[in-house]
Amino acid sequence: MNAMLPQSWVAVGRVTDIPRRGARVVKAPGGDIAVFRTGADEVYALRDRCPHGNGPLSNGIVHDRKVTCPLHGMVFDLTDGHSIGPDACQARTIPVRVVAGVIELGNPLYTETASA
Amino acid sequence: MTKERLVVIGNGMAGIRTVEELLLRAPGRYDITVFGAEPHPNYNRIMLSPVLAGEKSFEQIILNGRDWYEANGITLHTGDRIEGIDRTAKTVTSVGGKTVAYDKLLLAIGSDPVVLPIPGKELPGVIGFRDLSDVEAMVAAAKTGTHAVVIGGGLLGLEAANGLALNGMEVTVLHLMGTIMERQLDEAAGWLLQAELEGRGIKIITKAQTEAILGDGKVQKVRLADGRELDADLVVMAVGIRPNTALGKLAGLEVNRGIVVDDRMVTSDPDILSVGECVEHRGQTYGLVAPLWDMAKVCADHLAGAPESAYTGTVSATRLKVTGVELYSAGTFGDAGTEDIVFRDGARGVYKRIVLRDNRIVGTVLYGDTKDGPWYFQLLKDAEDIAPLRDTLIFGQGAGAQAQDPFAAVAALPDTAEICGCNGVNKGTVVAAIRDKGCCSVEDVRTHTKASASCGGCTGLVEKLLACTLGDGYQAQTGPKPMCKCTHLAHDDVRRLIVIDKLKSIPAVMQALEWTTAEGCASCRPALNYYLMCAWPGEYKDDNQSRFINERVHANIQKDGTYSVVPRMWGGLTNASELRAIADVVERFQIPTVKVTGGQRIDLLGVKKEDLPAVWSDLNKAGMVSGHAYAKGLRTVKTCVGSEWCRFGTQASMSMGVKLEKMTWGTWTPHKFKMAVSGCPRNCAEATIKDFGVVAVDSGWELHVGGNGGLHVRATDLLMKVETEDEVLEVCGAFLQLYREEARYLERTAPWIERVGIDYVRARMEDVEVREALHQRFLYSQKFEQIDPWAERASGAVDNHEFAPLASLVPLAAE
């Protein structure tokens, strides 16, 4: 259904609000979203639950374009959500873009109420 | 053209292995729907015993997570049992009311535990041992009850008994026959096993006929035919399994003991196939894992359109999954016309028996030393003439003429030889992974093939395969292990070079030491952060993003993503105002669980991440600081009451403990570091299983090091005796600093001391100059490390981003 609507974007904060090689959480009705900033200032977003054991990925250690889940140490590729290694599973990715230093998440159904 | 529809009933090992094999052969050919009666994804049922024993978690035995089904386009319905098959309309219907059409149907519905037809069998507290819910029921029963009775001394019954005993229950096994596991073991091996299990406190009654289960509303007793009655809070029936045929019967398929299949795994309906424990093939039914893998392959061949493939039966080997018991059995024994070769070594508890017919192995039982099991099993399967080996056969592969070279025998195994019984991996697969996928460690092989990933019994075999496939390439790996995949350097080399080359930041280390990844990984980053902090106190700036979440937010992450908070209580002492403040915090933040820890602290569990700064702020106001219960650092100093109160105390252990804790709190160490002070040799503070333990004696203090509780308990080594409190403090600081400077990251004092030797540590401590210098370096680094992390963060000035969400989104107003 979402695919039928034109993509719209919601601003959630500035890139600099997230530490390099770190992540922060965006609370959303469908569940928390982890927004990552890499060492090279790229921004990615995944659902904040790993598909393997519901680990909060926003709490993991970020290295290159990867994050290591804090609960059981699975490593996920931030670009597509795939886990590294043969027992592959995939974390859900969330559309994200940066416009003039402002992070925007792509979802037509949400609006922002509060910011940090 | 629309795809053919394959419906699989049964989300267990046999059904899903068949689907996996099918996807390898004909990806995309079928539109696949899987129904499973259990609410879980597909898991490794044979590993339920280690889950019960607490050696593995359920997550560790999941074979295919839900994402796997999604990634392969498979529709999965869990927790929904199929109750009917309409063969005319070619549809199945579930209890939940779903009707799904099929072109091909696969029945993989497994087996049910046999329930003895005795009075009381339906009482609450009587269970089988087949699925996760049984394990959960057993673990729950162990929390409230004391007595468990396991009916059936076969493989499953004994694994259940062992697991229940490890969960603290008093377990009695009732076995109808004179020897336990009589289908796999002869009398001698059965006796050795029984003696071992009895040594673990499990009671075993053989020739025991169970007459009735008694109880009012729930299980209370089990009565035997000879009149004996046994207390029971839990009864596990493990007398055997029976193929689950109900659905087959209902659908009008040919059913005997199991659902009858031909060599192609096809039932009496050409569009319905069946695999696993529910089938009967050539009059045989199966209850072990190896046949499932063989059936799955044949079944997948047929579904993929390869009609010549045929299943001809499987000879199975058995291994008991009880940690510390080596037991291997294959084939038959006790038949007429066979000869035996037997070897016994009473002192080592080794028993080996090979059963021969016409110079061919037909069976083997190995107890205590099972490393040759797979070799014998291969000789058995190949029906190899063993006449040339006969003289040395019983001594195993290492004994024959060819076997001077320990690898020759492994090299000689054919590609079809089974290496990992748990996961059905043969030698060819492992060798291919080493050759083609570049696996160069056991870990690599494990991740690519699953060999040795379950019970680990075949790790040695995998190592040998690595050695003979890679030759010298594998030898090179046996030197000091690299820190992680990001570097070829070992921990000690990295530390040495950090100091020599004056490397003072993580990027500097990675650049100078030629890291192969841009930013390292979750394994080397925390290690480097620690090494740099230890090498350059006051100069190096701690990199928070290189710390594990617990050390980043100064609390322990729990399985549900909440945190636990432990305030420091110096020496385990507290008072009314601290307790009142804790009580207020618990109420104000509705903290669900309050628990006293083993280290004499109070643990507040279930705190929401965003509440952490406010919780700390309240605790700070009452004078409490972080207890560092989350840190690779100084944890707690546990004390007994000592001479201040105790009639037996010889020294003031409480005040000694407080002084030690005030000196050492806040320090970061390679791994957690625990201390204790006992006021007399009765040692009520359990100081001899701590990293640094102090025990008071009349003439002063004994200092002990290198102990820990936990999985591998190690008692301390006595380091030295000193007379004064000042000396205790100085040796403590010096020892901590030696450990900080020389142990590898994540190496506790116990393995560190075993590696370097207590004599080395003692020599450093007894050299007064060295000791003093170490202690001074410790005190210097403490200047920068004794800062309460809670106060910093409660003020909102530090790392606020960790605790507050970036934004909160709400749905647009309803249309």
Side-chain angles (χ1 to χ4, degrees):
Chain A
M1 181 186 79
N2 289 3
M4 307 300 291
L5 293 165
Q7 185 81 290
S8 72
W9 299 91
V10 181
V12 291
R14 306 194 65 82
V15 176
T16 48
D17 293 336
I18 306 175
R20 279 207 179 111
R21 286 179 295 277
R24 290 187 66 182
V25 171
V26 171
K27 300 261 173 206
D32 290 357
I33 297 166
V35 184
F36 299 89
R37 176 184 177 190
T38 68
D41 291 339
E42 295 165 336
V43 174
Y44 297 99
L46 299 175
R47 274 261 170 256
D48 195 20
R49 294 158 73 86
C50 86
H52 160 251
N54 284 336
L57 292 172
S58 61
N59 288 352
I61 291 182
V62 180
H63 42 102
D64 300 341
R65 287 180 183 137
K66 298 191 275 283
V67 62
T68 298
C69 179
L71 289 196
H72 305 102
M74 255 196 170
V75 181
F76 293 88
D77 189 321
L78 295 175
T79 61
D80 60 8
H82 275 114
S83 69
I84 316 283
D87 276 335
C89 56
Q90 193 176 10
R92 252 188 71 193
T93 55
I94 306 290
V96 63
R97 68 178 186 187
V98 177
V99 178
V102 174
I103 301 167
E104 298 182 346
L105 295 181
N107 194 320
L109 300 179
Y110 303 154
T111 182
E112 188 186 5
T113 56
S115 90
Chain B
M1 196 185 95
T2 53
K3 285 188 194 177
E4 290 174 82
R5 293 158 300 184
L6 171 67
V7 172
V8 181
I9 308 180
N11 187 31
M13 297 173 76
I16 298 309
R17 179 55 84 101
T18 306
V19 172
E20 285 181 326
E21 296 280 354
L22 177 60
L23 291 172
L24 285 177
R25 286 164 176 73
R29 168 157 174 177
Y30 288 94
D31 206 346
I32 303 174
T33 304
V34 176
F35 281 89
E38 284 189 74
H40 316 286
N42 173 36
Y43 62 89
N44 190 341
R45 197 178 298 275
I46 57 174
M47 297 310 286
L48 283 174
S49 295
V51 172
L52 174 63
E55 291 158 0
K56 287 194 185 285
S57 68
F58 177 64
E59 284 71 30
Q60 287 174 303
I61 69 164
I62 291 178
L63 293 170
N64 301 89
R66 289 177 194 280
D67 47 286
W68 175 84
Y69 296 87
E70 212 170 293
N72 287 291
I74 297 168
T75 310
L76 172 66
H77 302 290
T78 53
D80 199 1
R81 190 182 291 276
I82 292 294
E83 58 176 1
I85 302 172
D86 183 337
R87 286 166 53 199
T88 326
K90 295 184 91 172
T91 58
V92 298
T93 306
S94 73
V95 174
K98 293 189 193 77
T99 297
V100 177
Y102 67 83
D103 295 304
K104 293 282 180 194
L105 180 65
L106 176 63
L107 294 178
I109 47 186
S111 60
D112 290 324
V114 171
V115 178
L116 292 177
I118 52 174
K121 65 180 191 314
E122 66 295 322
L123 280 172
V126 181
I127 60 170
F129 182 20
R130 285 306 287 163
D131 59 28
L132 185 68
S133 64
D134 295 328
V135 171
E136 285 167 349
M138 284 191 244
V139 172
K143 291 206 173 103
T144 53
T146 29
H147 299 281
V149 171
V150 177
I151 305 178
L155 189 70
L156 216 50
L158 295 179
E159 289 184 1
N162 181 62
L164 288 167
L166 286 174
N167 278 288
M169 293 196 92
E170 285 180 27
V171 184
T172 306
V173 176
L174 303 178
H175 193 54
L176 189 60
M177 311 301 282
T179 303
I180 54 174
M181 278 182 79
E182 81 284 348
R183 285 174 63 189
Q184 291 89 14
L185 300 186
D186 59 5
E187 205 177 318
W191 180 82
L192 281 167
L193 176 61
Q194 183 166 344
E196 165 68 29
L197 294 174
E198 284 173 345
R200 297 177 181 211
I202 296 169
K203 223 171 118 189
I204 296 175
I205 305 178
T206 53
K207 296 183 182 158
Q209 178 136 26
T210 311
E211 189 176 79
I213 301 170
L214 313 172
D216 187 10
K218 69 178 189 62
V219 171
Q220 284 162 333
K221 280 182 191 308
V222 172
R223 188 165 69 221
L224 302 183
D226 62 11
R228 270 185 286 180
E229 290 191 354
L230 305 164
D231 287 337
D233 304 302
L234 173 75
V235 173
V236 179
M237 284 225 195
V239 290
I241 54 168
R242 178 178 291 148
N244 182 351
T245 56
L247 208 51
K249 270 186 201 149
L250 209 63
L253 298 175
E254 188 187 344
V255 169
N256 220 342
R257 274 199 297 154
I259 298 169
V260 176
V261 293
D262 61 17
D263 285 357
R264 302 168 304 155
M265 310 313 296
V266 177
T267 66
S268 56
D269 180 329
D271 289 323
I272 304 183
L273 294 87
S274 185
V275 289
E277 292 179 347
C278 57
V279 309
E280 177 178 324
H281 170 260
R282 296 190 184 181
Q284 279 276 6
T285 60
Y286 291 97
L288 293 168
V289 71
L292 309 189
W293 302 152
D294 295 342
M295 289 182 201
K297 284 184 185 141
V298 173
C299 186
D301 282 340
H302 281 280
L303 288 169
E308 68 286 352
S309 178
Y311 178 66
T312 54
T314 306
V315 194
S316 291
T318 310
R319 236 179 233 279
L320 186 73
K321 288 176 296 304
V322 168
T323 301
V325 177
E326 295 267 310
L327 182 66
Y328 190 94
S329 153
T332 59
F333 40 91
D335 294 356
T338 57
E339 306 161 54
D340 286 332
I341 305 177
V342 173
F343 171 88
R344 288 175 200 267
D345 181 341
R348 283 197 304 143
V350 173
Y351 171 82
K352 301 190 197 180
R353 176 176 171 198
I354 300 171
V355 186
L356 303 174
R357 183 187 289 125
D358 304 329
N359 271 328
R360 284 172 172 81
I361 298 179
V362 294
T364 182
V365 181
L366 308 174
Y367 187 92
D369 175 2
T370 58
K371 64 175 184 302
D372 292 306
W375 183 53
Y376 294 138
F377 187 46
Q378 193 63 39
L379 293 173
L380 183 156
K381 282 201 287 192
D382 295 346
E384 183 107 359
D385 183 352
I386 54 85
L389 305 170
R390 187 161 173 153
D391 284 350
T392 56
L393 185 66
I394 194 71
F395 303 112
Q397 252 176 325
Q402 53 163 334
Q404 292 304 325
D405 173 1
F407 301 116
V410 178
L413 286 176
D415 275 354
T416 52
E418 181 179 272
I419 299 297
C420 174
C422 297
N423 293 300
V425 185
N426 61 28
K427 179 185 163 187
T429 311
V430 173
V431 171
I434 297 169
R435 279 219 186 100
D436 309 337
K437 293 190 179 150
C439 295
C440 57
S441 68
V442 174
E443 205 56 44
D444 288 350
V445 171
R446 203 170 277 162
T447 34
H448 277 95
T449 67
K450 291 191 178 164
S452 81
S454 293
C455 78
C458 59
T459 306
L461 272 176
V462 172
E463 271 176 344
K464 285 197 180 123
L465 282 176
L466 278 159
C468 41
T469 312
L470 295 174
D472 292 344
Y474 185 61
Q475 297 303 326
Q477 294 284 318
T478 56
K481 253 179 72 181
M483 244 175 95
C484 67
K485 287 175 183 158
C486 305
T487 176
H488 301 295
L489 295 169
H491 280 269
D492 297 348
D493 296 326
V494 172
R495 289 202 90 163
R496 197 168 39 81
L497 293 168
I498 284 175
V499 176
I500 293 177
D501 295 346
K502 299 204 163 35
L503 305 172
K504 298 192 178 177
S505 71
I506 289 178
V509 173
M510 290 181 176
Q511 186 58 36
L513 305 186
E514 298 174 352
W515 240 242
T516 57
T517 51
E519 297 183 339
C521 68
S523 161
C524 61
R525 288 247 311 269
L528 292 179
N529 190 51
Y530 169 73
Y531 292 154
L532 288 162
M533 198 160 37
C534 180
W536 313 112
E539 261 184 274
Y540 174 68
K541 193 178 168 308
D542 189 5
D543 178 23
N544 225 22
Q545 299 310 124
S546 292
R547 285 187 176 274
F548 184 64
I549 184 68
N550 288 357
E551 293 187 352
R552 226 182 310 144
V553 300
H554 295 272
N556 274 329
I557 192 165
Q558 303 297 316
K559 61 189 262 190
D560 64 350
T562 65
Y563 288 81
S564 84
V565 167
V566 181
R568 195 165 285 285
M569 288 179 176
W570 308 97
L573 292 158
T574 184
N575 56 43
S577 72
E578 285 183 356
L579 291 172
R580 197 171 286 121
I582 289 173
D584 288 344
V585 161
V586 168
E587 282 183 352
R588 182 175 161 205
F589 295 95
Q590 296 176 359
I591 294 170
T593 299
V594 181
K595 167 91 177 66
V596 176
T597 72
Q600 302 181 334
R601 304 297 138 104
I602 291 178
D603 195 351
L604 311 177
L605 292 130
V607 182
K608 292 188 222 49
K609 194 181 185 192
E610 52 269 32
D611 285 344
L612 286 171
V615 166
W616 295 334
S617 170
D618 282 9
L619 293 171
N620 276 160
K621 279 177 203 149
M624 281 177 281
V625 298
S626 167
H628 290 88
Y630 46 82
K632 310 287 179 237
L634 190 272
R635 291 283 178 92
T636 58
V637 183
K638 185 175 177 177
T639 65
C640 72
V641 291
S643 61
E644 290 104 317
W645 290 96
C646 179
R647 290 175 297 141
F648 304 111
T650 56
Q651 309 272 2
S653 49
M654 287 192 292
S655 68
M656 182 75 253
V658 172
K659 281 176 196 157
L660 280 169
E661 193 159 348
K662 293 268 182 189
M663 178 181 85
T664 56
W665 75 272
T667 186
W668 299 103
T669 46
H671 206 305
K672 60 188 171 186
F673 193 96
K674 300 178 178 184
M675 300 206 269
V677 185
S678 282
C680 82
R682 288 174 188 76
N683 191 16
C684 292
E686 297 165 333
T688 46
I689 53 160
K690 295 288 179 270
D691 295 282
F692 187 82
V694 181
V695 178
V697 290
D698 278 338
S699 54
W701 306 89
E702 279 179 3
L703 307 180
H704 300 261
V705 294
N708 60 224
L711 189 57
H712 300 290
V713 182
R714 184 182 192 272
T716 45
D717 294 308
L718 177 62
L719 179 66
M720 60 202 318
K721 245 180 83 176
V722 297
E723 285 175 16
T724 66
E725 287 193 353
D726 284 345
E727 286 173 292
V728 173
L729 291 169
E730 184 179 300
V731 175
C732 176
F735 176 76
L736 255 167
Q737 187 65 12
L738 189 69
Y739 171 58
R740 280 163 45 89
E741 290 178 2
E742 298 189 5
R744 296 165 190 163
Y745 191 64
L746 295 187
E747 182 176 45
R748 282 199 69 179
T749 57
W752 170 58
I753 285 178
E754 291 197 346
R755 182 162 65 80
V756 301
I758 183 66
D759 292 339
Y760 165 77
V761 177
R762 190 180 294 123
R764 307 291 283 170
M765 291 299 114
E766 283 173 351
D767 183 326
V768 177
E769 265 178 46
V770 170
R771 178 165 108 195
E772 197 160 302
L774 281 166
H775 186 51
Q776 285 311 317
R777 288 207 292 281
F778 179 74
L779 293 181
Y780 179 73
S781 72
Q782 283 296 80
K783 283 191 193 171
F784 310 100
E785 299 189 359
Q786 286 194 324
I787 297 161
D788 177 27
W790 288 0
E792 288 184 308
R793 284 158 184 78
S795 72
V798 174
D799 287 348
N800 208 17
H801 61 82
E802 289 285 0
F803 308 99
L806 181 62
S808 296
L809 303 180
V810 294
L812 284 172
E815 295 98 287

